[in-house]
């Protein structure tokens, strides 16, 4: 999750058991609002209710994209697409700096740390070099041909 976003919103609205847990990867401030207060305002304020529905719709679409990413791509393709997206988010400098450790990245991409290491080594033939928390993209077009980004998955 990145600021500013919600967490467990569907459970709050439905007054249901929370199905997720989370941990922060960097220092964070979390604002907790009592669930009953959220439900009360939802019932009274149409603009707030629309904002909640939009947030839930965006989270749903993110889950669907994540499932498609995991089911329709190999782990190497997931990693390659993640590298391309991270490079875009960091300004297209062709050097991605990991904000967290590789074990966490592997978990986010649905693979083991060992598989992540093998995939990084395999991506060397597509112009990717890894050193510590830095991933260098030598030739973006070669990596894109391998990754085959898809707007229905990657947004």
């Amino acid at each position: 999750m990145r600021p500013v976003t919600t967490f467990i919103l569907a459970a709050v609205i439905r007054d249901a058991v929370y199905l997720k847990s989370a941990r922060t990867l960097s220092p964070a401030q979390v604002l907790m609002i009592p669930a009953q207060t959220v439900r009360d305002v939802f019932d009274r304020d149409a603009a707030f209710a629309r904002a909640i529905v939009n947030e839930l719709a965006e989270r749903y679409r993110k889950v669907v994209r994540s499932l498609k990413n995991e089911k329709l791509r190999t782990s190497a393709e997931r990693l390659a697409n993640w590298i391309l997206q991270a490079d875009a988010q960091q300004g297209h400098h062709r050097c991605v700096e990991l904000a967290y450790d590789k074990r966490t990245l592997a978990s986010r991409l649905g693979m083991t740390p060992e598989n992540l290491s093998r995939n990084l080594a395999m991506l060397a033939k597509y112009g990717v070099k890894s050193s510590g928390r830095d991933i260098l993209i030598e030739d973006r077009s070669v990596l894109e041909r391998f990754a085959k980004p898809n707007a229905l998955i990657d947004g």
Side-chain angles (χ1 to χ4, degrees):
M1 295 180 1
R2 299 226 181 257
V4 171
T5 190
T6 61
F7 181 67
I8 62 170
L9 184 57
V12 167
I13 294 299
R14 295 184 46 85
D15 194 13
V17 174
Y18 306 151
L19 300 177
K20 297 192 302 184
S21 63
R23 66 183 174 100
T24 62
L25 298 175
S26 61
Q29 291 184 335
V30 178
L31 173 64
M32 294 176 56
I33 302 171
Q36 189 58 53
T37 301
V38 174
R39 288 189 293 274
D40 290 346
V41 175
F42 183 89
D43 290 340
R44 289 193 319 265
D45 186 331
F48 182 77
R50 272 191 304 281
I52 294 288
V53 170
N54 282 331
E55 176 72 10
L56 289 172
E58 185 58 38
R59 296 282 151 242
Y60 172 76
R61 292 177 62 79
K62 186 175 181 179
V63 167
V64 170
R65 282 189 173 115
S66 179
L67 286 170
K68 288 176 85 169
N69 187 40
E70 187 136 350
K71 297 295 183 183
L72 300 176
R73 289 178 169 155
T74 66
S75 58
E77 289 169 336
R78 288 195 305 274
L79 176 58
N81 277 285
W82 181 88
I83 291 168
L84 291 169
Q85 288 176 340
D87 181 50
Q89 290 171 351
Q90 294 180 18
H92 293 285
H93 298 293
R94 294 187 345 207
C95 184
V96 174
E97 183 180 341
L98 296 180
Y100 36 80
D101 61 61
K102 288 182 178 175
R103 179 175 294 279
T104 301
L105 175 60
S107 176
R108 289 189 65 194
L109 294 175
M111 63 183 82
T112 65
E114 298 79 16
N115 200 11
L116 176 70
S117 293
R118 282 192 293 275
N119 285 325
L120 279 169
M122 190 275 293
L123 289 178
K125 63 184 169 189
Y126 299 100
V128 173
K129 292 201 188 298
S130 173
S131 176
R133 287 190 175 213
D134 293 328
I135 298 173
L136 176 67
I137 303 169
E138 292 180 333
D139 189 336
R140 186 176 178 84
S141 62
V142 170
L143 185 58
E144 283 177 340
R145 277 195 301 278
F146 170 75
K148 299 185 260 339
N150 181 315
L152 296 177
I153 298 173
D154 304 310

